[in-house]
Amino acid sequence: MSQPGAVGRRPTLEAVAALAGVGRGTVSRVINGSPSVSERARAAVESAIAELGYVPNRAARSLVTSRTDSIALVIPEPETRLFAEPYFSDIIRGVSGVLADTDMQLLLTLIRTSHERQRLAQYLTAHRVDGVLMVSVHEDDPLPDLLDRIEMPAVLSGRRSDLESVSYVDADNVAGARSAVRHLLRRGCRAIATVAGPPDMYVARCRLDGYRQALAEEGLEHSDDLVATGDFTEDSGRAAMRALLERRPDVDGVFAASDVMAAGALLVLRESGRSVPDDVALVGFEDSVVARHTDPPLTSVRQPTEEMGRTMARLLLDEISEPGRLRRQVVLPTELVRRQSA
Amino acid sequence: MSQPGAVGRRPTLEAVAALAGVGRGTVSRVINGSPSVSERARAAVESAIAELGYVPNRAARSLVTSRTDSIALVIPEPETRLFAEPYFSDIIRGVSGVLADTDMQLLLTLIRTSHERQRLAQYLTAHRVDGVLMVSVHEDDPLPDLLDRIEMPAVLSGRRSDLESVSYVDADNVAGARSAVRHLLRRGCRAIATVAGPPDMYVARCRLDGYRQALAEEGLEHSDDLVATGDFTEDSGRAAMRALLERRPDVDGVFAASDVMAAGALLVLRESGRSVPDDVALVGFEDSVVARHTDPPLTSVRQPTEEMGRTMARLLLDEISEPGRLRRQVVLPTELVRRQSA
DNA sequence: GTGAAAGCGCTAACAG
DNA sequence: CTGTTAGCGCTTTCAC
């Protein structure tokens, strides 16, 4: 530690063996927690390790085990802005928390260009990580299939469809949407509209399903002119809300498939002279921090993002250590957070 | 690529050499772009590489070169919430963008507990990365000194003091604060207060300096009761603003050292019946996304966060490839973003 | 310019 | 239980 010329060679397993008066094999066994080591030997090795401040050389280990002790978190860049801020940091926080107890490392991979995709594919094919975590995967993304083909353990956040073939962790979007609409029903809303997401995204379909289910439960109208579709942007939320108001001026409740779209809807409602939530109650699915900063802050369906990160990491570690060809699937509950005063 | 039993061994340099009809050394030279290879040999090797889909084994290379081709981005966890969302993702975006052109990998390291700190220190001491990027380092953080001692290339975002000994990239906090206050002056404010940050943080001192400089330039009062101190939290911003209003009911402009504190101040101003920005103009330093979501959105001093990330990465790569013992220091300009209608 | 040979530090298989 | 041995795949002298 306090060596003056600390630059030089760091101690090797060999040095530890010499100091402990044992063979290299024994040192290796101690490090890897093999049970077949005598107490005496283990003690000697451990104190030698401590004395030398020995840390195993990962490259050398990796070379022989062909494990890398690292996993990659892959984030498609375009998403970064839309499904905004707290989402990714929470995921990272969760993942990182689980990994901290391991000696696995987390590699962060932002994918911006198709060139970078390419490089990632090559990287993965070369098995330079032991597993992959993927956030917001699109239905047409070829990566999951690649992962499957090269037998690389992987866990997705969200699924691409009902029949997702890769392990995943998802929020219960259907139930979340249902609870949002039930909330509106409890408030006494009768003409409940929804600003839905793009129908080619599974998550959007789920949220729309939840909306429909909640209305059906109540035997309520379930008319097409109460559904407007956006693309998760604020502008599209605005446009959808305008369309809705035109078709159904009597609307008194809106469930938006994302808080960003909800924010857009909120502005339009205001412009139209309606007060929120008194004239029209508004609930959004909370994908970003926006719900907390609108005025008034929106009641919204919150996803357990950090927990999703933790769960993803755990599933992946499982899958790495026990590569049974079984798919692991977890759907986590959401929570309705009341923020509007009323 | 389309091999059926793609599971098996991936091709090695040896295989490439065999196919190209050259020795392993030559293949290695080609891969590492050595000039002393004949055109003929190079072509043969390259086509062999393509045919086999060869990708070098990083562990093996690392073992012999004792470089890891990866750098760590270290983020102290507590910060994650406070200096909030876009900051870190922007930094990451910037860093990752620069690294994409390299074959360096980015390791993400969140530091939560002292135990994790410990592990990181050990990790770094074992030289398991080629360099380190550190975000929001505290003055009493022992890590920079450790890095220095083990001669690990490092770049900080922000500096700990005027005499920062480690390379860094910082925003020009002094100039930023100055521009904020000048803006208030131009608006005609005469009693300009500041909600300052904790005096033991260099960044806070810089912003306070800038505030003072701008007032001094104008020959304006520079009284202590126009300065209230917070700790960058919204609550502290509220408290500071209350204190300010009590001491100086005539205040007509406020510069807050962070947008989060500005948001707190905004609420207090409202409660006190003052309208912003008409009665009291408010400008904050934009550390988070909050400035954009207050009502009205705050005019604020924006930092070039992504650019900071890019610059950090570049400096670090420089430092790694050319470990001259010279400190690299960059101070990036800020920008005043007018968001208030007036 | 290029092949051959010598390891980098570690694990795993094999005798003892 | 433990020491010894043989590589893992690559870079890098060092002769040719």
Side-chain angles (χ1 to χ4, degrees):
Chain A
M1 286 310 241
S2 45
Q3 238 69 308
V7 195
R9 294 257 153 295
R10 283 163 283 286
T12 70
L13 177 148
E14 177 103 45
V16 175
L19 180 58
V22 302
R24 304 189 345 232
T26 302
V27 177
S28 178
R29 281 175 208 117
V30 170
I31 290 169
N32 295 289
S34 158
S36 34
V37 178
S38 68
E39 241 355 284
R40 218 172 98 49
R42 158 167 289 110
V45 168
E46 275 166 355
S47 87
I49 287 178
E51 181 166 339
L52 261 37
Y54 168 75
V55 182
N57 179 319
R58 219 188 190 89
R61 171 182 292 172
S62 185
L63 184 54
V64 46
T65 59
S66 70
R67 286 176 306 110
T68 64
D69 290 331
S70 60
I71 65 172
L73 176 60
V74 177
I75 302 181
E77 167 68 352
E79 311 305 318
T80 284
R81 302 278 186 185
L82 236 196
F83 262 68
E85 304 310 352
Y87 190 78
F88 292 109
S89 25
D90 282 356
I91 295 266
I92 289 175
R93 219 192 308 279
V95 170
S96 155
V98 170
L99 259 43
D101 303 327
T102 318
D103 67 339
M104 282 275 180
Q105 295 170 198
L106 180 61
L107 250 75
L108 196 63
T109 320
L110 264 46
I111 303 296
R112 227 163 312 235
T113 65
S114 63
H115 177 243
E116 285 178 25
R117 277 198 102 62
Q118 190 69 29
R119 292 227 325 172
L120 174 63
Q122 183 188 262
Y123 193 86
L124 297 178
T125 308
H127 282 247
R128 289 227 276 252
V129 285
D130 295 343
V132 175
L133 258 21
M134 292 192 67
V135 182
S136 41
V137 180
H138 280 250
E139 301 201 39
D140 58 348
D141 194 322
L143 235 37
D145 290 324
L146 172 66
L147 293 170
D148 206 47
R149 213 167 336 115
I150 65 178
E151 298 186 26
M152 169 77 71
V155 177
L156 314 181
S157 80
R159 29 192 162 159
R160 292 167 295 167
S161 76
D162 288 314
L163 327 97
E164 180 56 68
S165 60
V166 178
S167 295
Y168 65 82
V169 175
D170 201 356
D172 195 338
N173 289 298
V174 178
R178 228 189 292 129
S179 73
V181 175
R182 281 188 191 144
H183 167 77
L184 293 173
L185 287 166
R186 272 197 307 277
R187 282 187 55 97
C189 302
R190 302 278 83 191
I192 301 178
T194 186
V195 177
D200 62 328
M201 290 180 70
Y202 183 71
V203 55
R205 293 202 300 273
C206 286
R207 291 174 187 180
L208 184 54
D209 276 358
Y211 160 81
R212 289 191 169 131
Q213 285 180 21
L215 290 187
E217 282 171 7
E218 213 62 17
L220 257 178
E221 176 195 20
H222 162 179
S223 144
D224 274 357
D225 44 87
L226 285 172
V227 178
T229 300
D231 61 5
F232 284 135
T233 63
E234 184 174 326
D235 276 351
S236 77
R238 268 207 194 69
M241 192 66 235
R242 271 193 221 102
L244 247 17
L245 284 178
E246 185 147 334
R247 298 205 291 255
R248 297 290 305 252
D250 62 319
V251 62
D252 59 2
V254 176
F255 162 63
S258 82
D259 53 359
V260 178
M261 292 198 295
L266 178 61
L267 294 176
V268 170
L269 285 170
R270 283 262 184 64
E271 280 166 17
S272 81
R274 286 159 171 93
S275 102
V276 175
D278 293 327
D279 298 334
V280 179
L282 185 56
V283 181
F285 226 98
E286 188 164 335
D287 293 317
S288 79
V289 79
V290 168
R292 284 172 236 168
H293 290 294
T294 54
D295 181 31
L298 292 174
T299 288
S300 59
V301 179
R302 185 193 290 158
Q303 309 181 63
T305 330
E306 186 166 344
E307 177 63 24
M308 289 176 71
R310 279 196 291 271
T311 309
M312 290 175 72
R314 284 199 208 99
L315 294 195
L316 186 60
L317 293 180
D318 279 4
E319 204 148 302
I320 289 171
S321 66
E322 191 199 315
R325 296 274 76 214
L326 81 126
R327 244 164 40 243
R328 286 150 233 251
Q329 318 176 316
V330 174
V331 175
L332 262 21
T334 61
E335 181 194 6
L336 188 74
V337 185
R338 283 196 189 65
R339 288 218 189 76
Q340 284 164 346
S341 27
Chain B
M1 286 310 241
S2 45
Q3 236 70 307
V7 196
R9 293 256 154 294
R10 281 162 284 286
T12 71
L13 178 148
E14 176 104 46
V16 175
L19 180 59
V22 300
R24 285 157 40 194
T26 302
V27 178
S28 178
R29 283 175 205 116
V30 171
I31 291 170
N32 297 289
S34 157
S36 34
V37 178
S38 68
E39 242 353 285
R40 214 172 100 48
R42 158 168 288 109
V45 169
E46 274 166 355
S47 87
I49 287 180
E51 181 167 340
L52 261 37
Y54 169 75
V55 183
N57 180 319
R58 217 186 193 94
R61 170 182 294 173
S62 185
L63 184 55
V64 45
T65 59
S66 70
R67 286 176 305 110
T68 63
D69 290 331
S70 61
I71 66 171
L73 175 61
V74 177
I75 303 182
E77 166 68 352
E79 311 306 318
T80 284
R81 303 278 187 183
L82 235 198
F83 264 70
E85 304 309 351
Y87 191 78
F88 292 109
S89 24
D90 282 356
I91 295 265
I92 289 175
R93 217 190 310 279
V95 171
S96 156
V98 170
L99 259 43
D101 304 327
T102 320
D103 67 338
M104 283 274 180
Q105 296 169 198
L106 180 61
L107 252 74
L108 196 64
T109 320
L110 263 47
I111 302 296
R112 226 164 310 234
T113 65
S114 62
H115 177 242
E116 286 178 24
R117 276 199 104 61
Q118 190 70 28
R119 291 226 324 172
L120 175 64
Q122 184 188 263
Y123 193 86
L124 298 178
T125 309
H127 283 249
R128 287 228 276 252
V129 285
D130 295 343
V132 176
L133 258 22
M134 293 192 67
V135 181
S136 40
V137 179
H138 281 249
E139 301 202 39
D140 58 348
D141 194 320
L143 234 37
D145 291 324
L146 172 65
L147 292 170
D148 206 47
R149 214 169 334 117
I150 65 178
E151 297 186 27
M152 168 77 72
V155 177
L156 314 182
S157 81
R159 27 192 164 160
R160 292 167 297 168
S161 77
D162 287 317
L163 327 96
E164 180 56 69
S165 60
V166 178
S167 294
Y168 63 83
V169 175
D170 202 355
D172 195 337
N173 289 298
V174 178
R178 228 189 292 128
S179 73
V181 174
R182 280 186 192 148
H183 167 77
L184 294 172
L185 288 165
R186 271 197 307 276
R187 282 187 55 96
C189 301
R190 302 278 84 191
I192 300 179
T194 185
V195 177
D200 61 328
M201 290 178 71
Y202 182 70
V203 55
R205 293 202 298 274
C206 287
R207 291 174 187 181
L208 184 54
D209 276 358
Y211 160 82
R212 290 192 170 130
Q213 285 180 22
L215 291 187
E217 282 170 6
E218 214 62 18
L220 258 178
E221 175 195 24
H222 160 179
S223 143
D224 275 357
D225 44 88
L226 284 172
V227 178
T229 300
D231 60 5
F232 284 133
T233 64
E234 184 175 327
D235 276 350
S236 77
R238 269 206 194 71
M241 193 66 237
R242 271 192 221 101
L244 247 17
L245 284 179
E246 184 146 335
R247 299 204 290 256
R248 297 289 303 253
D250 63 319
V251 62
D252 59 2
V254 176
F255 162 62
S258 80
D259 54 359
V260 178
M261 293 198 293
L266 178 61
L267 294 175
V268 169
L269 285 170
R270 283 263 184 63
E271 280 167 18
S272 80
R274 286 159 172 93
S275 102
V276 175
D278 293 329
D279 298 335
V280 180
L282 184 56
V283 180
F285 226 99
E286 189 164 334
D287 293 316
S288 79
V289 80
V290 169
R292 284 173 237 168
H293 290 294
T294 54
D295 182 32
L298 292 173
T299 288
S300 58
V301 179
R302 185 193 288 158
Q303 309 181 63
T305 330
E306 186 166 344
E307 178 62 24
M308 289 175 72
R310 279 195 291 272
T311 310
M312 290 175 71
R314 282 198 211 100
L315 295 195
L316 186 59
L317 293 180
D318 279 3
E319 203 147 303
I320 289 173
S321 65
E322 190 198 315
R325 296 273 75 216
L326 80 127
R327 242 167 37 244
R328 286 151 233 251
Q329 318 176 316
V330 173
V331 175
L332 262 19
T334 61
E335 181 195 5
L336 188 72
V337 184
R338 284 197 189 66
R339 290 217 190 76
Q340 284 165 350
S341 26

